[in-house]
Amino acid sequence: MLTSQDIEFFVALSQSKSLAATARKLNVTPPSVSQRLQALEQKLKVKLVERGSRAISLTLEGNVLFEEGLAVLKQIELLESKVAEKNQAISGKIRVVAPVGYGTEKVSPLVAEFHKIHPLTHIELILSDTPNWTQVDPPDVVIYIGQLKDSSLNRILLEKNQRFLLASPNYLKNAAPINTPQDLLNHECLVIRENDDDVTLWKLTHKETGETTSVRISPSLMSNVGPVIKNWAVNGYGIMQRSEWNVLNEMKDNRLQVVLPEYTFPSADIVALVSSTRDKRPAKINAFVDYLKQHLSNNSTD
C-alpha cells in the first residue's frame, strides 16, 4: 500500500533535477535515494522515472503520481491544520515569493515579525525579478505587483498602489516642455524590466476625458533593479515610471516631481496570490496573509 511517506519522497524527487539533488534536499545519500525509488517502482509495478546521465524525467505514470500525490499531501496538510486550530497553534513551513524591491523593503520585516509571533513556523522568502507561480515546486504565497495574468489563482488585495511618471526638478528645468504623452518621445526615458511586462509601451489615460494614449518610448537607460532606476531619475538622468510605494519619500521632499499629472497609468495594486479559497487553505497561510493585510493596508478584502 502506498504511504504518505512514499508520496512525500516522490514529490521531493519530482521537484529535483537529479537523484543527487534529491539526496541533498532530503539530507541522505544518493544510493539510498536510488534504492528507495527502486522499491517504490517495485511496489507499484510501474516505471516512474527515466534516469538520464545528468538529469531525471518523469514517465507518464510518474507524472500522475506527482500531481495526484501533491494534491493528497495538501489535503493532509489542511487536515492537520484544522486539527491544530483547536489549540491555536500556527506552525509549519511557509514558502513566499516576492519582488526583490518590495520584498526587501516591506515583506521581509513582516516575515521576521510573523515568525517571532509564531516561532513554530519555518518561513522561506524567495525574492525574484519575475515573481510567479510554478507548478513544479509551488510556493504558498506569491506577492505580485501590477496587472494579474493568471486568473486561476486567488487574488487577495494587500495594498493599493498607483504608478507615476517622475523626473527630478533639475531634469525638468533643463529639458524641453512635456505637455502631451507624445512629447515623451523627445526625452531621456528610464526603464526597469520586471514581470516580463512590455516595459517600453507606456499607456496614459487622461483623467478628465478618459482617452488613452500609448507611447512606444526608446529608453536611454535600462536596468532590472528598481533602486538603480530611481537613483538615475533622482540624479537627473531622465524620466521614469514607478510605483507609489517606492517613491513616496522622494515625492514628499521634492527630489522627484510628477510628469503629466493630468494623466494616470494602469493601477499596479499589490496582491497576494494563493491557490485556494480561504476555507481550503491551511491555518498558517490564512494567518500569514491576514498579518500582511493588517500591516500593509486597512482596506484589503479576501
Side-chain angles (χ1 to χ4, degrees), residues 73-250:
L73 292 181
K74 288 182 178 180
Q75 286 298 315
I76 293 175
E77 182 182 33
L78 181 60
L79 177 60
E80 291 176 343
S81 175
K82 289 183 176 180
V83 173
E85 285 179 12
K86 300 302 180 181
N87 62 14
Q88 304 296 312
I90 300 298
S91 62
K93 295 180 179 179
I94 303 175
R95 295 184 71 243
V96 184
V97 176
V100 175
Y102 190 81
T104 300
E105 293 188 27
K106 303 197 74 171
V107 178
S108 64
L110 296 180
V111 165
E113 292 167 9
F114 182 82
H115 172 69
K116 188 174 182 180
I117 297 171
H118 303 288
L120 297 180
T121 58
H122 301 274
I123 308 175
E124 180 183 8
L125 176 60
I126 303 164
L127 302 180
S128 171
D129 292 329
T130 55
N132 53 46
W133 196 276
T134 60
Q135 295 298 331
V136 175
D137 192 9
D140 295 300
V141 181
V142 171
I143 309 300
Y144 194 88
I145 302 176
Q147 299 297 308
L148 181 59
K149 299 175 182 177
D150 189 344
S151 59
S152 67
L153 296 171
N154 287 267
R155 175 186 183 274
I156 303 170
L157 178 63
L158 298 177
E159 187 174 12
K160 285 287 188 180
N161 182 53
Q162 301 179 65
R163 283 193 175 117
F164 295 106
L165 206 59
L166 301 154
S168 72
N170 187 55
Y171 176 85
L172 296 175
K173 178 182 177 181
N174 296 294
I178 308 173
N179 298 313
T180 70
Q182 295 300 327
D183 291 336
L184 296 170
L185 297 175
N186 301 318
H187 283 263
E188 302 291 319
C189 294
L190 315 174
V191 165
I192 178 172
R193 290 205 173 277
E194 55 187 357
N195 291 345
D196 296 325
D197 291 338
D198 187 353
V199 293
T200 62
L201 184 64
W202 288 359
K203 297 181 180 180
L204 303 90
T205 301
H206 197 279
K207 292 179 180 179
E208 292 186 3
T209 67
E211 181 181 357
T212 297
T213 303
S214 296
V215 179
R216 176 68 70 179
I217 57 100
S218 178
S220 54
L221 293 170
M222 186 181 304
S223 175
N224 67 326
V225 179
V228 171
I229 297 296
K230 185 164 68 172
N231 287 338
W232 283 339
V234 169
N235 288 310
Y237 290 106
I239 303 169
M240 70 170 182
Q241 177 191 163
R242 289 303 288 153
S243 287
E244 177 182 12
W245 75 266
N246 188 239
V247 293
L248 280 176
N249 291 333
E250 288 78 10

Side-chain angles (χ1 to χ4, degrees), residues 11 13 16 21 70 80 181 213 232 248 283 295:
V11 166
L13 183 146
S16 304
L70 193 60
E80 291 176 343
T213 303
W232 283 339
L248 280 176
H295 289 81

Side-chain angles (χ1 to χ4, degrees), residues 276-293:
S276 56
T277 55
R278 185 179 184 89
D279 60 321
K280 295 181 179 179
R281 295 195 297 263
K284 62 182 180 180
I285 306 303
N286 286 332
F288 179 73
V289 172
D290 287 346
Y291 190 80
L292 292 180
K293 288 166 59 178

Side-chain angles (χ1 to χ4, degrees), residues 20-38:
T22 305
R24 290 192 295 272
K25 179 182 290 188
L26 299 177
N27 196 28
V28 296
T29 63
S32 68
V33 170
S34 181
Q35 292 169 6
R36 189 168 181 182
L37 175 58
Q38 290 176 8

